[in-house]
Amino acid sequence: MAGLRPTSSSSSFTSKLLLMLTVLPLTLAAFAFVLQWRGGLTDPTTRWGPDRKEFPGMESSGPARPSASDCVDLLGRTRSPSFPYYRDWKFRYGSDLRPKLCITTSTSAGLEQTLPWIFYHKVIGVSTFFLFVEGKAATPNVSKVLESIPGVKVIYRTRELEEQQARSRIWNETWLASFFYKPCNYELFVKQSLNMEMAIIMAREAGMDWIIHLDTDELLHPAGAREYSVRQLLADVPRNVDMVIFPNYESSVERDDIKEPFSEVSMFKKNFDHLPKETYFGNYKEATRGNPNYFLTYGNGKSAARIQDHLRPNGAHRWHNYMKTPNEIKLDEAAVLHYTYPKFSDLTSRRARCGCKPTKEDVKRCFMLEFDRA
């Protein structure tokens, strides 16, 4: 019987084990409570909610140490979301830094495209965004998030807006009249021009110095600035210059499974303004790959205009002035990166948005560009 009795050493070990099993869960629970009480835990469902004041990616946690997998993400060899939101970056939204640049756009894109687009341009020095929204961009779940971002003004295409624009100056001008009452791309061109005219007024009221019209599949690339900053780039422009031309580069997509174009697409065809003539003509056939033009879409770049009296839009790519011929310069290094049809869904959504029949007559009536028609 004496041999069945537990020894003092085994009894002591059992007591310690029971004590550890009791204390450990209590310690973990207390630690979780402290983290939550101090705001250390964030509910993922509220990260982009309308009550959230921080811009996505600006949470105040410490900067993460880059790993090898991060590099792989940026090169686009992963299926997981990889846009590089930088943590702990603070933007002086109400600052007096000059010059102040605003972007205006007409968009129907969702948050997966618009948020990275806004964030990137904030990083390089854009202070204000005038978003004229329709479609998906105007739905409550998307527009509430956009409205919560400092520096972003959301304008909805309401009946009141259309009536106001119908009384605008360019509505009655001959240069735009030839695009009226036509479907699809022509209708979009008219809306963009009318929105740009309205954005000029809004930019003046907001104290902006420069304005540029960009689509949400385009990124400004301020190469040539002492810092990677479009504000710095425009600060170096002489005062007598009214307009700055950013030649466009067009993406060359190498894969058919692109998920996030801004972080996965890295190869572009340079604009001929930035190429030696022998390089441009010597590689023309290889660069076009059987297409009728060097670029699938446009090739005349985008322009930033200095906010001043009598400014008006001149199509989606240029600005003009009622009282003078603007003095413009073309940048030698800076460009607009155009992510042209990186996903097959970009093509199908463009077709579906127009609702045109697949006949030569209807396609010609709907689309301006030969590639879109094809």
Side-chain angles (χ1 to χ4, degrees), residues 200-304:
I200 294 171
I201 300 172
M202 299 169 72
R204 296 197 72 156
E205 293 174 348
M208 296 292 109
D209 299 300
W210 292 86
I211 184 171
I212 186 169
H213 174 264
L214 283 184
D215 296 322
T216 52
D217 62 350
E218 297 172 327
L219 300 179
L220 285 176
H221 173 47
R226 292 193 301 273
E227 307 166 6
Y228 194 75
S229 165
V230 68
R231 182 188 288 123
Q232 182 65 61
L233 193 73
L234 294 175
D236 294 336
V237 173
R239 288 294 305 172
N240 66 331
V241 172
D242 303 306
M243 240 180 295
V244 174
I245 309 300
F246 291 78
N248 61 294
Y249 294 2
E250 188 174 86
S251 61
S252 294
V253 183
E254 299 177 88
R255 303 189 348 247
D256 61 1
D257 59 346
I258 298 294
K259 302 298 181 185
E260 295 183 340
F262 293 151
S263 58
E264 294 182 53
V265 176
S266 59
M267 191 168 72
F268 290 83
K269 285 191 284 188
K270 276 191 170 185
N271 194 289
F272 43 82
D273 286 324
H274 285 180
L275 288 171
K277 287 185 178 180
E278 56 272 16
T279 302
Y280 173 70
F281 289 109
N283 295 280
Y284 187 90
K285 186 175 182 181
E286 184 179 358
T288 55
R289 293 185 292 181
N291 290 302
N293 299 310
Y294 179 66
F295 286 152
L296 297 179
T297 54
Y298 71 93
N300 60 341
K302 290 288 181 79
S303 66

Side-chain angles (χ1 to χ4, degrees), residues 169-170 173 197 200 204 243 305-313 319-326:
R169 182 169 180 172
I170 63 173
E173 293 178 349
E197 182 184 43
I200 294 171
R204 296 197 72 156
M243 240 180 295
R306 197 184 295 275
I307 300 295
Q308 55 186 292
D309 293 339
H310 312 299
L311 182 67
R312 73 159 174 88
W319 308 86
H320 202 62
N321 193 294
Y322 285 111
M323 302 303 292
K324 65 177 182 178
T325 301

Side-chain angles (χ1 to χ4, degrees), residues 51-250:
D51 298 328
R52 184 84 168 166
K53 298 304 180 188
E54 287 181 321
F55 193 79
M58 290 177 59
E59 297 85 356
S60 56
S61 59
R65 186 185 183 92
S67 64
S69 61
D70 293 332
C71 298
V72 173
D73 285 349
L74 292 175
L75 292 173
R77 298 192 181 99
T78 177
R79 299 293 188 274
S80 61
S82 59
F83 187 82
Y85 288 126
Y86 293 100
R87 297 177 180 275
D88 231 15
W89 281 41
K90 303 296 188 293
F91 296 98
R92 294 168 57 193
Y93 298 111
S95 74
D96 57 356
L97 294 176
R98 293 283 180 176
K100 289 190 174 182
L101 170 67
C102 65
I103 290 178
T104 179
T105 190
S106 303
T107 183
S108 59
L111 292 178
E112 71 285 347
Q113 180 171 334
T114 311
L115 285 180
W117 181 82
I118 293 174
F119 183 81
Y120 169 84
H121 286 107
K122 278 185 175 289
V123 169
I124 66 170
V126 177
S127 58
T128 304
F129 300 79
F130 300 115
L131 307 184
F132 291 82
V133 297
E134 292 186 70
K136 190 175 182 180
T139 58
N141 290 340
V142 175
S143 59
K144 284 181 180 178
V145 174
L146 296 175
E147 287 176 345
S148 72
I149 302 172
V152 173
K153 172 68 176 175
V154 179
I155 305 100
Y156 300 91
R157 188 146 201 88
T158 61
R159 181 182 295 275
E160 290 75 18
L161 177 68
E162 291 181 344
E163 290 174 353
Q164 184 179 354
Q165 291 183 338
R167 297 190 297 269
S168 69
R169 182 169 180 172
I170 63 173
W171 182 266
N172 297 307
E173 293 178 349
T174 55
W175 69 272
L176 190 62
S178 61
F179 294 91
F180 288 171
Y181 310 114
K182 293 182 179 179
C184 202
N185 282 19
Y186 299 91
E187 181 183 12
L188 176 61
F189 181 81
V190 171
K191 286 180 181 178
Q192 286 177 330
S193 300
L194 293 169
N195 292 344
M196 289 166 69
E197 182 184 43
M198 182 169 285
I200 294 171
I201 300 172
M202 299 169 72
R204 296 197 72 156
E205 293 174 348
M208 296 292 109
D209 299 300
W210 292 86
I211 184 171
I212 186 169
H213 174 264
L214 283 184
D215 296 322
T216 52
D217 62 350
E218 297 172 327
L219 300 179
L220 285 176
H221 173 47
R226 292 193 301 273
E227 307 166 6
Y228 194 75
S229 165
V230 68
R231 182 188 288 123
Q232 182 65 61
L233 193 73
L234 294 175
D236 294 336
V237 173
R239 288 294 305 172
N240 66 331
V241 172
D242 303 306
M243 240 180 295
V244 174
I245 309 300
F246 291 78
N248 61 294
Y249 294 2
E250 188 174 86

